[in-house]
Amino acid sequence: MNGTLIPHTPIAVDFWSLRRAGSARLFFLSHMHSDHTVGLSSTWARPLYCSPITAYLVHRHLQVSKKWIRALEVGESHVLPLDEIGRETMTVTLLDANHCPGSVMFLFEGYFGTILYTGDFRYTPSMLKEPALKLGKQIHTLYLDNTNCNPAWVLPSRQEAARQIIELIRKHPQHNIKIGLYSLGKESLLEQLALEFQTWVVLSPRRLELVQLLGLADVFTVEEKAGRIHAVDHMEVCRSAMLHWNQTHPTIAILPTSRKTHSSHPDIHIIPYSDHSSYSELRAFVAALKPCQVVPIVSRQPCRDYFQDSLSPRLSVPLVPHSVQQYMNSSSRKPSLLCLLLERRLKRPRTQGVMFDSFPETADQSQGDMDSQEAKNDNLSGHLEKQASHRPLQIKKPLLPDLCSKEWDGAVPFSESQKMVTVLTAPLNVSVHLRSTDEEFMSLETGEEIGVWPHSVPRGNHDGLAATGNQSTWTGPDCPLTHSSEAAPLLAPEFRGLALKYLLTPVNFFQAQFSSRGFDQQVEKYHKHLLRYREENDTFV
């Protein structure tokens, strides 16, 4: 297994053994080759970060549930939480690894410095022009694909290897061509051969499904007799298969690989076409980045001292922040509700609109409109309890002075059939309407809604909220808003108080050790303080 647990961090890359994962909490997949997915299956139940193409493949072929897959756009930076309270975050940027469809390198930046994890990659000078790398960043640790890290192995470029394959096929104009491949990769080579020889390339249905995602030329088919070039599994290319194929039609086989492979038949040709960087390319890559240290990804093929002359001075081991230590040492490896909310909150793709209305405008609504809306709300009230999934509506609102003077971000369950609008009566006779822009809590690749809020509002004490002087109403999308208490709520009275308490409690009030029971207790504790503050102010007045 070519996986890594990055020391002093909660980060794991291509590592899927939870029993040995220790303190790892954030799991990343570089690409879908089988030696990087050992242990990853349909039972996986942790957030998994990868590129959009890999996200499709990991669900399609490994049956990993969509709700755990986090597809991150390549070439963009993404902020992720490193603890359960939002105090520590990191930035991760995905860079094209030039290895196979969906393969990426990960650039991690956080309290640990800057770490570049190449995964399997084939270096090209254009990589150094990536915005995330060309800014002259100091790479503290470079996890390097050292598959071909041996000065004795001289590999041609992929362009040169492709020319060798083309020349070999030209020498056999009447032969069928079998190209032995792994399940993923070298699709661009097949396209090049099809265009060069003006023939269809015959694929398996599974591989055809993949190439249709990649936007390649329409030169692929599943019809066996449609063309003379056939892509087959590399394990099929053997002596017995060659004898069988040549009984019906003259056939040669080509294995485009840099691996040391024995040819068991004179018509099996091995061409050093590789999707891994050559030794000279690795030298150029490391010399350009000048990292503080190089860590080989393939442990059986050490780098030795090949890059010592290209390294920058090493730094001391980073101190792990206390909140991250708690996150790494937490007994449960499953992500908590709060951590999932923090993850989503750091990715806000859209902002919410804020509309300010004066009291007279909202107070002048007709009684007929109010009655009509009450009927709508009664219908919606029954529907609300049937909702199986919620969207988080992220809003920003100011809290009352002294007790919590900072702004905070709230996340509120947002039902499919309605919009939630919160009306806060402010001291300056202005009501603030915070409206949703239909932002959904979804897997970025799959589009599936991920429900992290409970499906029903817990029962509990609702005393004390009215004393704050703020009133909130759950309404349908067309409801005229008012600060009057006559508006019909969607939630029953016994639920409404606690639901609004949850809404108005700042996330930074909760402790790092999180549990559902402790959550309720801390909400109550916060609002008892709030009520006491209000009563003291009323006394002075």
Side-chain angles (χ1 to χ4, degrees):
M1 178 177 64
N2 290 328
T4 300
L5 299 173
I6 299 181
H8 313 294
T9 76
I11 301 170
V13 185
D14 298 341
F15 194 99
W16 312 107
S17 174
L18 289 177
R19 287 187 301 171
R20 297 190 291 126
S23 58
R25 298 293 180 268
L26 299 171
F27 295 87
F28 295 83
L29 176 59
S30 64
H31 63 293
M32 265 291 288
H33 278 161
S34 60
D35 55 332
H36 293 259
T37 59
V38 176
L40 185 57
S41 67
S42 60
T43 62
W44 185 261
R46 309 289 186 275
L48 180 161
Y49 301 91
C50 58
S51 68
I53 290 177
T54 300
Y56 171 82
L57 296 174
V58 78
H59 172 67
R60 182 74 173 85
H61 299 309
L62 296 182
Q63 286 77 52
V64 175
S65 173
K66 289 182 177 182
K67 74 176 183 178
W68 298 116
I69 300 172
R70 308 290 193 267
L72 305 179
E73 288 299 327
V74 180
E76 297 184 7
S77 296
H78 309 268
V79 179
L80 300 179
L82 290 174
D83 57 26
E84 293 184 322
I85 60 177
R87 183 174 300 162
E88 287 291 334
T89 62
M90 76 170 180
T91 300
V92 58
T93 306
L94 279 63
L95 307 173
D96 186 2
N98 192 33
H99 176 70
C100 71
S103 63
V104 293
M105 302 184 285
F106 295 108
L107 182 68
F108 302 109
E109 299 172 86
Y111 70 85
F112 42 74
T114 303
I115 297 173
L116 178 60
Y117 192 100
T118 67
D120 290 351
F121 86 122
R122 183 75 194 251
Y123 170 72
T124 64
S126 62
M127 290 178 175
L128 299 176
K129 297 178 181 178
E130 290 281 352
L133 293 179
K134 72 178 184 179
L135 299 177
K137 281 179 184 168
Q138 176 62 66
I139 305 297
H140 299 109
T141 304
L142 173 62
Y143 285 86
L144 187 66
D145 172 19
N146 56 316
T147 302
N148 294 327
C149 187
N150 189 329
W153 300 345
V154 179
L155 293 177
S157 66
R158 285 197 291 201
Q159 292 77 12
E160 175 57 32
R163 282 194 290 269
Q164 293 179 26
I165 294 173
I166 290 171
E167 289 302 317
L168 177 61
I169 295 175
R170 281 181 178 153
K171 292 177 181 178
H172 300 82
Q174 305 303 318
H175 286 63
N176 283 343
I177 313 298
K178 304 290 185 180
I179 309 289
L181 303 174
Y182 293 96
S183 60
L184 181 67
K186 299 182 173 68
E187 288 76 16
S188 59
L189 171 64
L190 297 177
E191 179 189 43
Q192 182 180 355
L193 296 178
L195 296 175
E196 178 71 27
F197 294 101
Q198 296 296 297
T199 181
W200 292 96
V201 174
V202 181
L203 306 177
S204 66
R206 173 172 171 163
R207 199 173 199 115
L208 180 63
E209 180 184 359
L210 169 65
V211 298
Q212 290 173 342
L213 293 175
L214 304 179
L216 300 177
D218 185 15
V219 293
F220 301 100
T221 182
V222 295
E223 298 181 24
E224 278 291 324
K225 297 182 180 180
R228 57 186 288 239
I229 298 178
H230 295 232
V232 299
D233 188 274
H234 71 288
M235 297 297 292
E236 290 185 43
V237 179
C238 59
R239 180 177 178 81
S240 60
M242 291 302 301
L243 295 175
H244 173 73
W245 289 330
N246 277 284
Q247 285 179 353
T248 57
H249 194 280
T251 301
I252 64 169
I254 299 173
L255 292 175
T257 179
S258 61
R259 300 191 179 205
K260 303 302 177 184
T261 305
H262 173 69
S263 176
S264 58
H265 189 278
D267 286 331
I268 297 177
H269 302 269
I270 301 171
I271 304 294
Y273 185 104
S274 181
D275 290 324
H276 296 270
S277 302
S278 67
Y279 174 76
S280 61
E281 290 167 346
L282 293 176
R283 289 277 300 171
F285 185 59
V286 175
L289 291 181
K290 293 181 171 56
C292 297
Q293 64 173 327
V294 174
V295 179
I297 292 176
V298 184
S299 57
R300 67 179 182 272
Q301 176 66 35
C303 289
R304 299 179 184 173
D305 297 327
Y306 296 143
F307 305 110
Q308 287 299 316
D309 57 343
S310 299
L311 301 183
S312 299
R314 292 190 65 170
L315 302 179
S316 58
V317 176
L319 295 176
V320 183
H322 179 66
S323 61
V324 181
Q325 291 181 25
Q326 288 185 316
Y327 180 43
M328 295 168 66
N329 296 331
S330 59
S331 58
S332 173
R333 290 192 180 96
K334 288 192 176 182
S336 70
L337 163 66
L338 189 56
C339 193
L340 288 173
L341 289 174
L342 288 171
E343 171 196 332
R344 181 60 179 173
R345 186 174 303 152
L346 291 167
K347 294 178 184 171
R348 287 176 239 197
R350 306 175 200 167
T351 58
Q352 276 61 45
V354 179
M355 181 181 70
F356 294 92
D357 288 337
S358 65
F359 278 160
E361 291 174 335
T362 56
D364 288 342
Q365 297 174 31
S366 68
Q367 185 63 37
D369 290 340
M370 293 292 293
D371 294 339
S372 173
Q373 188 56 43
E374 287 178 5
K376 291 181 182 179
N377 286 344
D378 288 339
N379 293 333
L380 287 173
S381 180
H383 182 67
L384 177 64
E385 297 178 357
K386 300 178 182 179
Q387 288 298 319
S389 63
H390 293 69
R391 303 175 186 174
L393 167 62
Q394 298 176 349
I395 60 177
K396 176 176 282 191
K397 37 188 185 299
L399 292 181
L400 296 180
D402 294 341
L403 195 60
C404 282
S405 59
K406 297 180 180 179
E407 288 188 343
W408 66 287
D409 295 338
V412 186
F414 187 58
S415 173
E416 186 74 35
S417 65
Q418 71 197 46
K419 300 187 188 304
M420 173 185 284
V421 183
T422 303
V423 184
L424 298 179
T425 304
L428 299 179
N429 293 336
V430 175
S431 63
V432 184
H433 300 208
L434 298 155
R435 303 198 175 193
S436 165
T437 54
D438 291 337
E439 180 180 342
E440 297 178 355
F441 189 36
M442 294 182 175
S443 161
L444 299 180
E445 180 270 330
T446 63
E448 177 176 331
E449 295 184 14
I450 300 176
V452 298
W453 282 85
H455 298 315
S456 63
V457 181
R459 296 180 182 270
N461 177 25
H462 57 280
D463 296 332
L465 183 69
T468 64
N470 293 324
Q471 298 155 343
S472 298
T473 305
W474 294 51
T475 72
D478 302 319
C479 176
L481 297 175
T482 172
H483 66 286
S484 170
S485 60
E486 297 176 1
L490 280 175
L491 293 178
E494 63 267 24
F495 293 112
R496 187 167 69 248
L498 186 58
L500 292 174
K501 286 182 181 179
Y502 282 17
L503 169 63
L504 295 173
T505 303
V507 70
N508 58 8
F509 188 80
F510 300 115
Q511 304 299 317
Q513 297 298 330
F514 181 80
S515 68
S516 58
R517 183 172 182 179
F519 182 89
D520 292 343
Q521 292 172 346
Q522 291 178 61
V523 168
E524 292 298 331
K525 179 181 177 182
Y526 171 79
H527 285 280
K528 285 180 181 178
H529 285 299
L530 191 63
L531 180 58
R532 189 179 305 118
Y533 170 84
R534 180 71 181 182
E535 291 172 346
E536 291 174 357
N537 281 0
D538 290 342
T539 300
F540 287 121
V541 172

